[in-house]
């Protein structure tokens, strides 16, 4: 049994609970119900039990990165070889409702978008409290309200602009919650006087308010876990799950998780992550855009690993194809599911453009299905049926293809192999435009933004600034022979921001100056910021 200090205090809406204190406003009755005394007791218990060990894990991350910065390369661990070599262990049996994951839609926590995603016809809706959401206090709390109402089946929305009414249809997608990453904090809830781990807020409030309604519908409580880097971090989550199931006296395995493999260190520890979480894990996902960002971040000091223009880096690149196939191989050997990556395209009204989008999606999903993935991600409801058709063809009546194990070793050489491609002015300018447009919206509280035919989230801005930072650090010459300098970048940034402001007009966009200043700093600082969302969060409210 876990021993917990009693934190039962019947507080008013000023909301202090034991060592937990809310500094954000309780702006509605729904907010007060989400942040109830009992809910605060639980997240206080989580912080008491796990915030210290989380801090140690984040220190370990920095120490590991220092080794990479000093010349070491990621590789498979020698101290866990016995886990990889033992072919007998498997993850726990997967609940039937999670066996068919052929099409998953992802999106933010906005109420209307939640309803549309659940009604999209996808098997799963991954509701993202992290990269697809700007973490304003109101967004984070209202997101929990929306999750509670969606799981209760009562969620609805009437658009004040046009009066259109939205409500759940029959047989909605299975809801999976994605909490914020281990590295993020929530400044509006203090634990022992410091911002609490955002992941524990998101996880704890979601479980507290939804485990009973989900049990009543015959389901467990399901999570997507982002940005893990090691077996130890996976074991930390496993301990959080064990603690939670015991705290509420629910069955082991009530909580089930899919882990996003979206960091370069994690791809070398996939079997160890599966092993550490084997009671609760059901699969892994190729979070490929963050993975490209992590490749740059992890190897940022390595002059022989400079990536070309990120717009030219597709899944046909050897290091990315190996990543996909090794993930499938690893998961299927251990009985887990292997979910493919995001198609961020959105429909176009232009017939020629829509035909191009359709062909791009078909090629991407066909590659994933051929490689052996059990399902895939899309960002827009109109692409659900297209992705489903492709996976239906390859699955041929089955719910997944866990029986298929790709051949090949997919060793460290190919997983780290440098990429070839252009380094030119159009690529830099496109990076500038997309990153500044996204960051400007994020600073206004919008975390999922349609830009140039794609639904963009924080991963796009991360890749864009990392691409530019790496070229500046290593004094790259562009394909036309010009050296890429800070002065050239500054001139192009100023020109692009001027054009963006002119295109916006009438003061519609209010934070271009803040966004461009942050982008310039993040792209040129001597010290590479681990995540742009951390300095941006300080400017958010």
């Amino acid at each position: 049994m876990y021993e917990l200090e009693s934190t039962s205090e019947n507080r008013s809406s000023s909301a202090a609970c034991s060592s937990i204190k809310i500094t954000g406003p309780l702006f509605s009755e729904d907010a007060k119900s989400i942040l109830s005394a009992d809910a605060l007791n639980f997240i206080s218990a989580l912080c008491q039990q796990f915030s210290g060990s989380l801090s140690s894990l984040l220190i370990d991350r920095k120490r590991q990165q220092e080794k990479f910065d000093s010349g070491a390369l990621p590789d498979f661990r020698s101290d866990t070889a016995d886990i990889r070599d033992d072919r007998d262990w498997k993850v726990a049996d997967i609940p039937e409702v999670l066996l068919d994951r052929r099409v998953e839609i992802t999106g933010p926590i906005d109420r209307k978008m939640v309803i549309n995603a659940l009604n999209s016809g996808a098997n799963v809706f991954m509701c993202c409290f992290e990269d697809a959401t700007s973490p304003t206090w109101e967004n984070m709390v209202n997101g929990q309200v929306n999750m509670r109402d969606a799981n209760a089946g009562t969620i609805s929305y009437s658009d004040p602009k046009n009066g259109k009414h939205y409500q759940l249809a029959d047989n909605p997608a299975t809801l999976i919650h994605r909490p914020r990453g281990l590295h993020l904090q929530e400044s509006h809830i203090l634990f022992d006087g410091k911002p609490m781990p955002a992941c524990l807020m998101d996880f704890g409030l979601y479980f507290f308010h939804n485990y009973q309604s989900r049990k009543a519908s015959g389901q467990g409580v399901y999570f997507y876990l982002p940005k893990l880097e090691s077996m130890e971090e996976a074991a930390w989550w496993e301990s959080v799950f064990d603690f939670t199931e015991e705290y509420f006296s629910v069955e082991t395995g009530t909580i089930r998780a899919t882990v996003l493999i979206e960091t370069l260190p994690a791809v070398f520890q996939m079997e160890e992550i599966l092993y550490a979480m084997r009671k609760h894990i059901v699969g892994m996902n190729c979070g490929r855009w963050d993975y490209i960002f992590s490749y740059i971040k992890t190897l940022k000091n390595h002059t022989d690993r400079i990536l070309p223009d990120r717009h030219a880096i597709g899944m046909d690149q050897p290091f990315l194809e190996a990543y996909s196939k090794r993930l499938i191989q690893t998961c299927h050997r251990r009985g887990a599911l292997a979910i493919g990556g995001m198609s961020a395209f959105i429909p176009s009204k232009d017939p020629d453009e829509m035909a191009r989008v359709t062909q791009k999606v078909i090629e991407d999903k066909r590659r994933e299905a051929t490689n052996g993935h059990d399902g895939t991600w899309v960002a827009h409801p109109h692409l659900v049926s297209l992705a489903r058709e492709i996976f239906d063809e390859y699955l041929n009546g089955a719910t997944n293809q866990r029986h298929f194990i790709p051949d090949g070793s997919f060793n460290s050489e190919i997983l780290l192999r440098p990429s070839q491609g252009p380094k030119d002015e159009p690529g830099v300018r496109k990076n500038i435009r997309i990153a500044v447009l996204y960051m400007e919206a994020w600073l206004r509280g919008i975390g999922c933004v349609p830009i140039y035919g794609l639904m963009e989230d924080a991963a796009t801005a991360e890749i864009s600034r990392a691409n530019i930072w790496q070229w500046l650090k290593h004094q790259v010459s562009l394909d036309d022979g010009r050296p890429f300098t800070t002065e050239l970048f500054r001139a192009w940034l100023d020109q692009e921001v001027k054009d963006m402001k002119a295109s916006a007009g009438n003061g519609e966009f209010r934070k271009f100056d803040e966004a461009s200043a942050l982008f310039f700093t993040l792209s040129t600082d001597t010290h590479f910021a681990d995540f742009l969302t951390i300095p941006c969060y300080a400017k958010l409210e």
Side-chain angles (χ1 to χ4, degrees):
M1 289 290 291
Y2 291 97
E3 295 294 326
L4 293 176
E5 260 184 33
S6 174
T7 57
S8 181
E9 297 185 20
N10 190 11
R11 297 280 185 172
S12 68
S13 61
S14 62
C17 181
S18 183
S19 49
I20 286 279
K21 181 180 180 182
I22 297 177
T23 62
L26 298 183
F27 48 82
S28 67
E29 290 304 314
D30 278 328
K32 292 176 184 176
S33 66
I34 290 295
L35 297 162
S36 66
D38 286 343
L40 295 177
N41 284 341
F42 175 51
I43 63 172
S44 177
L46 287 174
C47 288
Q48 186 70 43
Q49 193 77 16
F50 297 107
S51 60
S53 52
L54 175 55
S55 296
S56 297
L57 289 172
L58 295 176
I59 291 170
D60 290 343
R61 271 191 189 183
K62 289 186 179 296
R63 288 174 177 160
Q64 186 61 58
Q65 183 59 51
E66 288 170 359
K67 295 178 183 178
F68 299 144
D69 290 344
S70 298
L73 289 172
D75 206 346
F76 300 99
R77 290 170 57 161
S78 59
D79 62 328
T80 57
D82 56 331
I83 294 175
R84 298 192 300 276
D85 293 342
D86 182 350
R87 295 304 179 191
D88 293 332
W89 65 266
K90 305 279 186 182
V91 301
D93 290 343
I94 299 173
E96 185 174 355
V97 71
L98 293 177
L99 283 171
D100 189 347
R101 307 273 295 271
R102 68 188 69 191
V103 185
E104 304 190 354
I105 189 168
T106 75
I109 58 184
D110 172 82
R111 195 168 182 88
K112 183 176 79 171
M113 290 188 178
V114 167
I115 298 169
N116 286 342
L118 288 169
N119 290 344
S120 67
N123 301 83
V124 165
F125 168 42
M126 191 277 285
C127 191
C128 182
F129 277 62
E130 198 206 30
D131 277 0
T133 296
S134 175
T136 67
W137 173 243
E138 191 167 338
N139 281 349
M140 292 295 98
V141 176
N142 280 337
Q144 294 288 350
V145 174
N146 297 339
M147 295 296 92
R148 181 195 64 190
D149 294 350
N151 282 313
T154 61
I155 190 170
S156 64
Y157 176 75
S158 293
D159 193 324
K161 294 181 180 178
N162 57 25
K164 186 175 180 180
H165 186 71
Y166 300 79
Q167 63 185 41
L168 280 186
D170 294 335
N171 302 313
T174 298
L175 181 57
I176 301 184
H177 171 92
R178 176 180 175 175
R180 282 171 281 179
L182 302 183
H183 59 288
L184 296 172
Q185 296 179 329
E186 175 52 63
S187 66
H188 299 89
I189 303 183
L190 305 182
F191 176 73
D192 284 346
K194 299 177 182 177
M196 77 170 291
C199 59
L200 292 181
M201 172 190 171
D202 297 346
F203 165 83
L205 292 178
Y206 182 74
F207 188 92
F208 179 89
H209 288 290
N210 296 287
Y211 78 97
Q212 291 171 314
S213 61
R214 293 192 64 83
K215 182 178 180 180
S217 66
Q219 297 191 40
V221 188
Y222 308 139
F223 294 91
Y224 252 112
L225 302 181
K227 295 181 178 57
L228 298 188
E229 295 193 9
S230 68
M231 175 186 187
E232 286 75 16
E233 292 176 8
W236 182 88
W237 270 117
E238 184 80 349
S239 297
V240 171
F241 295 167
D242 287 339
F243 176 88
T244 300
E245 288 170 341
E246 186 157 355
Y247 185 99
F248 290 98
S249 299
V250 299
E251 184 179 350
T252 297
T254 294
I255 298 170
R256 291 303 180 103
T258 306
V259 169
L260 287 143
I261 299 300
E262 53 186 351
T263 71
L264 187 62
V267 82
F268 292 94
Q269 298 190 43
M270 287 192 291
E271 286 191 269
E272 291 89 336
I273 290 170
L274 287 170
Y275 185 81
M277 300 189 72
R278 60 194 180 278
K279 298 195 304 292
H280 295 99
I281 199 167
V282 296
M284 290 178 164
N285 168 279
C286 281
R288 58 201 192 192
W289 307 130
D290 270 304
Y291 187 77
I292 297 169
F293 162 64
S294 179
Y295 183 99
I296 299 174
K297 179 173 73 169
T298 305
L299 305 177
K300 60 182 180 289
N301 283 0
H302 294 249
T303 56
D304 58 340
R305 311 282 168 172
I306 301 170
L307 288 190
D309 175 14
R310 65 103 175 169
H311 305 100
I313 303 171
M315 291 304 292
D316 56 346
Q317 289 278 357
F319 85 101
L320 289 176
E321 184 177 21
Y323 151 65
S324 164
K325 289 182 177 178
R326 185 172 181 90
L327 184 144
I328 297 163
Q329 185 185 73
T330 301
C331 287
H332 288 180
R333 280 175 176 167
R334 304 305 183 180
L337 295 164
I339 312 300
M342 168 65 76
S343 178
F345 288 103
I346 55 180
S348 173
K349 294 181 180 179
D350 178 76
D352 291 338
E353 177 62 18
M354 191 60 210
R356 187 188 74 85
V357 167
T358 299
Q359 186 58 35
K360 287 284 188 181
V361 174
I362 289 172
E363 291 172 0
D364 181 45
K365 300 315 168 191
R366 185 164 287 154
R367 179 184 292 109
E368 289 182 327
T370 304
N371 282 355
H373 280 291
D374 301 296
T376 190
W377 275 13
V378 297
H380 196 283
H382 286 297
L383 297 180
V384 169
S385 59
L386 181 59
R388 183 181 297 282
E389 287 175 11
I390 295 163
F391 272 84
D392 283 350
E393 175 187 344
Y394 281 85
L395 294 180
N396 194 27
T399 56
N400 56 64
Q401 45 186 345
R402 285 186 295 167
H403 62 280
F404 175 71
I405 300 175
D407 293 329
S409 64
F410 312 116
N411 59 21
S412 57
E413 185 279 325
I414 193 168
L415 288 168
L416 297 172
R417 185 176 296 174
S419 297
Q420 302 301 314
K423 298 182 180 73
D424 55 29
E425 179 177 343
V428 175
R429 286 185 178 271
K430 190 172 182 180
N431 273 341
I432 290 170
R433 290 194 300 273
I434 291 175
V436 173
L437 284 168
Y438 180 80
M439 290 171 66
E440 191 278 333
W442 196 93
L443 291 170
R444 290 185 290 117
I446 303 167
C448 194
V449 187
I451 303 174
Y452 302 134
L454 297 172
M455 191 64 75
E456 304 287 16
D457 67 9
T460 300
E462 292 284 30
I463 302 172
S464 296
R465 63 99 178 185
N467 213 185
I468 290 171
W469 187 95
Q470 188 181 43
W471 289 10
L472 289 172
K473 174 181 174 56
H474 295 284
Q475 301 177 333
V476 160
S477 290
L478 301 178
D479 293 342
D480 61 10
R482 284 180 294 173
F484 182 54
T485 63
T486 301
E487 292 74 24
L488 194 59
F489 170 52
R490 175 84 260 180
W492 292 347
L493 174 62
D494 290 345
Q495 291 167 9
E496 294 295 337
V497 170
K498 182 179 178 180
D499 290 345
M500 287 182 231
K501 289 180 176 179
S503 297
N506 299 322
E508 179 187 354
F509 294 85
R510 302 182 300 275
K511 294 188 178 290
F512 275 118
D513 290 338
E514 295 94 322
S516 60
L518 278 166
F519 183 61
F520 182 78
T521 298
L522 287 163
S523 301
T524 59
D525 264 1
T526 302
H527 172 73
F528 184 87
D530 288 338
F531 296 95
L532 68 79
T533 45
I534 295 175
C536 286
Y537 185 56
K539 305 282 188 182
L540 189 57
E541 298 192 71

